[in-house]
């Protein structure tokens, strides 16, 4: 189990689901862990090369397409990868990653990856996580364990913030812990750089509601916008709402 020497499992969140001895050096100690144990290295690999990458961008910045192209680039060179997404992401069907430009590839869910043995995980040259904003903070710590304890590079793609400009827990933790952070850029309909995500329900912009919308009855879409257009749409939303109360 995960409750090896070094303290109870709940004191070592990176070890949750990762069936290896705790340890991993200084980063784990800074998280409040116990005495590091023997590190686990992949044969023939310099462990120091492995990093945790977070590539974020607004909707429409080709995050999923880049995740699938990264997988292709690895496997074209004969290196196996593990393509993963959170189970919460159901928009593309069961065990599938689908990009807007039509690229698709089967994946496994994050909780399924957590059930893999060390030997099975170490068969992969890289772990690629799509829709990483839906990860929990604890799941991000599991990825830290893959990098620090097993020496497996992990590349995460996802949104930085939601439609109300609040950070997703998973994205916030990735911004705190990733070795390398890269912004993937896209543009607003006005031509400016888009960094905001705006929610449309049945064709109308909305600025209230749950962070994650799982709505099978309404047409829910997301549009990337520049701050100027985002706040203009937000002012119009609340002006219309105030007018309807007066009536």
């Amino acid at each position: 189990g995960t409750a090896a020497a070094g303290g109870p499992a709940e004191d070592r969140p990176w070890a949750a689901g990762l069936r290896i001895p705790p340890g991993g050096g200084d980063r784990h100690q800074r998280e409040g862990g116990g005495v590091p144990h023997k590190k686990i290295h992949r044969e023939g690999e310099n462990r120091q090369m492995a990093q945790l990458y977070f590539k974020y961008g607004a909707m429409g910045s080709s995050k999923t397409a880049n995740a699938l192209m990264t997988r292709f680039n690895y496997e074209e060179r004969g290196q196996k990868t593990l393509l993963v997404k959170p189970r919460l992401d159901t928009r593309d069907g069961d065990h599938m990653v689908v990009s807007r430009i039509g690229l698709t590839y089967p994946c496994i869910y994050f909780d399924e990856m957590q059930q893999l043995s060390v030997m099975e995980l170490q068969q992969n040259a890289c772990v690629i996580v799509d829709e990483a904003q839906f990860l929990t903070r604890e799941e991000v710590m599991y990825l830290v364990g893959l990098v620090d304890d097993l020496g497996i590079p992990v590349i995460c793609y996802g949104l930085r913030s939601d439609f109300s400009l609040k950070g997703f827990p998973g994205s916030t933790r990735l911004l705190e812990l990733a070795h390398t952070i890269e912004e993937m850029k896209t543009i607003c309909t006005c031509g400016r750089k888009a960094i905001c995500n705006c929610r449309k329900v049945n064709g109308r912009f909305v600025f209230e509601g749950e962070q994650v919308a799982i709505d099978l009855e309404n047409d829910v879409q997301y549009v990337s916008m520049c701050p100027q257009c985002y706040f203009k749409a937000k002012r119009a939303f609340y002006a219309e709402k105030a007018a309807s109360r007066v009536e």
Side-chain angles (χ1 to χ4, degrees):
T2 57
E10 59 268 22
D11 293 336
R12 297 176 291 105
W14 60 86
L18 185 57
R19 291 178 284 168
I20 60 175
D26 294 340
R27 273 220 291 175
H28 287 176
Q29 289 180 291
R30 288 198 295 271
E31 292 293 333
V35 178
H37 290 242
K38 181 180 179 181
K39 317 283 195 305
I40 297 179
H41 298 253
R42 290 201 294 166
E43 185 177 354
E45 179 176 351
N46 180 357
R47 181 178 175 276
Q48 298 303 320
M49 293 175 60
Q51 293 191 30
L52 174 61
Y53 301 83
F54 182 36
K55 302 188 178 188
Y56 72 90
M59 297 294 296
S61 58
S62 301
K63 297 181 296 298
T64 297
N66 273 270
L68 293 173
M69 288 189 288
T70 298
R71 184 213 65 81
F72 176 80
N73 288 338
Y74 268 94
E75 303 211 358
E76 186 180 37
R77 291 159 177 78
Q79 300 184 14
K80 184 179 178 182
T81 62
L82 194 61
L83 183 62
V84 183
K85 74 173 183 178
R87 193 175 287 273
L88 184 62
D89 179 33
T90 59
R91 58 177 181 160
D92 297 324
D94 186 48
H95 289 90
M96 290 295 296
V97 171
V98 181
S99 73
R100 291 178 301 114
I101 61 174
L103 298 175
T104 65
Y105 201 80
C107 69
I108 66 171
Y109 291 124
F110 198 95
D111 59 285
E112 294 171 334
M113 176 178 65
Q114 290 178 299
Q115 300 306 311
L116 298 178
S117 67
V118 169
M119 184 176 297
E120 290 170 317
L121 289 166
Q122 289 181 322
Q123 293 174 3
N124 298 281
C126 180
V127 172
I128 301 168
V129 184
D130 193 35
E131 302 295 345
Q133 71 272 6
F134 294 138
L135 297 176
T136 65
R137 291 173 62 87
E138 292 73 23
E139 287 170 337
V140 173
M141 292 309 302
Y142 173 87
L143 297 178
V144 169
L146 294 184
V147 174
D148 287 354
D149 289 325
L150 298 188
I152 303 173
V154 176
I155 308 175
C156 297
Y157 296 83
L159 301 172
R160 177 176 58 177
S161 57
D162 63 14
F163 75 104
S164 60
L165 303 187
K166 295 178 181 177
F168 288 94
S171 300
T172 299
R173 198 63 175 140
L174 283 166
L175 289 168
E176 293 167 345
L177 293 176
H179 298 86
T180 301
I181 299 170
E182 177 185 340
E183 181 181 16
M184 305 188 69
K185 299 176 178 62
T186 188
I187 60 172
C188 179
T189 55
C190 71
R192 299 186 184 97
K193 177 182 174 182
I195 62 171
C196 307
N197 302 298
C198 198
R199 180 182 290 173
K200 295 181 76 173
V201 178
N202 298 328
R204 300 181 64 183
F205 290 117
V206 297
F207 293 86
E208 297 175 347
E210 297 295 324
Q211 185 173 62
V212 179
I214 302 176
D215 191 338
L216 301 179
E217 297 181 359
N218 297 292
D219 178 24
V220 181
Q221 298 180 342
Y222 292 88
V223 180
S224 56
M225 305 176 78
C226 67
Q228 292 91 329
C229 290
Y230 175 90
F231 287 109
K232 179 180 179 181
K234 186 173 183 178
R235 288 192 295 269
F237 170 81
Y238 283 106
E240 181 179 348
K241 188 174 181 179
S244 65
R245 284 200 297 265
V246 171
E247 296 174 0

